[in-house]
Amino acid sequence: MQRGLPMQPTVLLLKEGTDTSQGKGQLLSNISACMAIADTLATTLGPRGMDKLIVNERGDAEITNDGATILKLLEIVHPAARTLVDIARAQDAEVGDGTTSVVLLASQLLKEVRGFVEEGISPHIIVKGFRKASQLAIDRIKEIQVTVEKSDPERFRSLLLKCAATSMSSKLIHSEKTFFSEMVVDAIQCLDQDELNEALIGVKKITGGGMHDSMLVKGVSFKKTFTYAGAEQQPKQFTNPKIVCLNVELELKAEKDNAEVRVEQVSDYQAIVDAEWEIIYRKLDAIEKTGAQVVLSKLPIGDLATQYFADRDIFCAGRVADGDLKRVVQAVGGSIQSTCSDIQPQHLGTCGQFEEKQIGNERYNFFTDCPKAKTCTLILRGGADQFIEEVERSLHDAIMVVKRAVRNGDVVAGGGAIELDLSRHIQQRALEVSGKQQFIMLAFAKALEVIPRQICDNAGLDSTDILNRLRNKHQRSGEKWFGVDVDGTTGVRNNMDAFVWEPSLVKLNAIASATEAACLILSVDETVRNPQSEQQNAGPRAPPGTAQRALRGRGRGMGRR
């Protein structure tokens, strides 16, 4: 050390114990984490995909092959890998289907460029190539997608049925996809075709019976609510009833905590009791004068009101779920009233038939033949609770797919056909590009083949042989709709002619989301872990009283601010 030169001070930038990982090693580690997730989901893809049994810390079991559901139940903590969880959820919320495909595609994109990263090629060059190839793929889908005209109702309904059946072909209910496809399309066509709000499709699950016992109610149905003894004396069936929906409590309630009323004589106490009874009777009389035969309320309807309505041949139900009550209003008309004093005729709804029926071990209230039926209810039957919940998830995916098909009406062939055509198209266009970009675009084209390859592997087919034959069809013969055939003997077929159709929006969203996720992960070259958050999440338990002291200290700090 030279004399006279001041010693450079050590600068402590991060908290002691902070873990920092950066550079090429960190990028490769993130890619490996994403590939591990893809390996978990890969076997669930396609019509012959397998299911996953996931058990949580409480011992509750879930059986599913829906990509977004699996990733949510796995509770992935790796910061980079959580990007794949986010794109799966986004795909599920936006389109409803293709959650497994988008995760596999993003992971395969990273796998294909892993060698380039190891060789020292800048991630920015890779990202630029990915974005260019992605735009080529999106433009190609828009160029070759098939539009079905909505002017022909029969043909358009056939399109929706095929899209729903294709969505269910990889689900647990694939053996009954014809039955459930009809149910899903009928449900979508019950809605207002301008809004298509899927929240107005109610789903009720009743254990017992078989899948074919499931039904679609064109109207509203919900489970019989908690009732008092007088409810059994009420009529359980009406034709063209007037229906009033309330947000009013019809119950004698005890006084609130710490309430105090001072009286000097018994007559004063009796006056208070009489006033309370007078208030509720005034409400009940006002409801009866409206002529309503069915009274529904979001709040409780007590034993006094129940018996009052039973004596006057009026049906009542209290504690109706908020969603069910809103769908009743959508179906029968009228509006939810927060007071009983000024209920006008226009505030009442009506339906063709009201009935309380037994389904399995449960009793359900049915509102059918509704004049303003912009809502419907799916009643699902099955053996085990896990099975019924998987049926619900499968139908949700199909409903979202049919909804998108109604909005757009543009379809492409499934079964890996569109991915192989995009791969061929990008390979041809990549040859027109010079420099490193060409290799990146070729890697993107190769990554697209993961979808047909995985469908073959899951179906027990020879993926190498099938893909070679499909490449020959696409490259030489120009058969852009040829894809994997898991049912036949040849292994390949024209999936457009075989009616394996998917809304083009599913593929557009999947390719865009997968590309964005891959680019995001490639742009991260450093991860910084806060030691305090690590200790809170997975570290040793703190000594007793530490948390209380920390909270008290935080409170004092907030007070000073």
Side-chain angles (χ1 to χ4, degrees), residues 183-196:
M183 187 182 294
V184 166
V185 173
D186 288 341
I188 288 291
Q189 292 183 337
C190 284
L191 301 179
D192 187 335
Q193 298 301 294
D194 294 329
E195 296 182 4
L196 290 178

Side-chain angles (χ1 to χ4, degrees), residues 456-507:
C456 292
D457 290 340
N458 292 348
L461 303 175
D462 185 348
S463 58
T464 304
D465 176 53
I466 298 294
L467 281 179
N468 283 335
R469 290 159 61 189
L470 286 175
R471 290 192 195 102
N472 184 50
K473 288 284 186 183
H474 284 260
Q475 293 279 4
R476 299 183 181 179
S477 306
E479 297 280 2
K480 62 176 178 283
W481 297 130
F482 259 73
V484 181
D485 176 16
V486 298
D487 300 317
T489 56
T490 59
V492 299
R493 68 180 174 190
N494 187 320
N495 280 340
M496 185 61 76
D497 294 341
F499 305 118
V500 181
W501 295 354
E502 295 185 73
S504 58
L505 189 64
V506 174
K507 298 302 179 184

Side-chain angles (χ1 to χ4, degrees), residues 360-511:
N361 294 328
E362 306 289 351
R363 286 163 66 178
Y364 269 71
N365 299 321
F366 288 81
F367 299 81
T368 53
D369 299 332
C370 303
K372 299 183 179 181
K374 301 296 184 184
T375 180
C376 60
T377 306
L378 298 172
I379 296 181
L380 306 181
R381 306 294 308 279
D385 291 336
Q386 294 94 337
F387 176 79
I388 299 179
E389 289 178 6
E390 177 63 8
V391 171
E392 180 188 6
R393 285 189 287 267
S394 303
L395 292 185
H396 171 264
D397 288 358
I399 286 170
M400 293 294 290
V401 164
V402 173
K403 173 186 171 182
R404 299 301 174 187
V406 169
R407 285 268 172 85
N408 298 304
D410 300 323
V411 297
V412 294
I418 184 66
E419 284 84 5
L420 284 164
D421 182 78
L422 295 177
S423 177
R424 178 199 60 80
H425 178 69
I426 293 172
Q427 285 175 8
Q428 290 179 348
R429 297 297 297 271
L431 298 178
E432 304 171 5
V433 179
S434 59
K436 298 175 183 177
Q437 295 287 318
Q438 182 182 115
F439 297 105
I440 306 303
M441 295 174 67
L442 290 174
F444 190 100
K446 186 179 179 183
L448 288 169
E449 295 183 353
V450 68
I451 302 298
R453 183 185 299 112
Q454 195 61 49
I455 292 174
C456 292
D457 290 340
N458 292 348
L461 303 175
D462 185 348
S463 58
T464 304
D465 176 53
I466 298 294
L467 281 179
N468 283 335
R469 290 159 61 189
L470 286 175
R471 290 192 195 102
N472 184 50
K473 288 284 186 183
H474 284 260
Q475 293 279 4
R476 299 183 181 179
S477 306
E479 297 280 2
K480 62 176 178 283
W481 297 130
F482 259 73
V484 181
D485 176 16
V486 298
D487 300 317
T489 56
T490 59
V492 299
R493 68 180 174 190
N494 187 320
N495 280 340
M496 185 61 76
D497 294 341
F499 305 118
V500 181
W501 295 354
E502 295 185 73
S504 58
L505 189 64
V506 174
K507 298 302 179 184
L508 290 170
N509 202 77
I511 290 173

Side-chain angles (χ1 to χ4, degrees), residues 479-556:
E479 297 280 2
K480 62 176 178 283
W481 297 130
F482 259 73
V484 181
D485 176 16
V486 298
D487 300 317
T489 56
T490 59
V492 299
R493 68 180 174 190
N494 187 320
N495 280 340
M496 185 61 76
D497 294 341
F499 305 118
V500 181
W501 295 354
E502 295 185 73
S504 58
L505 189 64
V506 174
K507 298 302 179 184
L508 290 170
N509 202 77
I511 290 173
S513 299
T515 305
E516 287 299 324
C519 293
L520 178 63
I521 291 170
L522 287 169
S523 65
V524 173
D525 72 337
E526 182 171 3
T527 302
V528 180
R529 292 181 183 269
N530 187 338
Q532 184 177 359
S533 62
E534 284 286 315
Q535 183 179 3
Q536 289 174 353
N537 291 333
R541 189 181 298 244
T546 304
Q548 289 86 342
R549 288 197 297 273
L551 286 173
R552 286 198 296 271
R554 194 179 309 159
R556 289 194 296 272

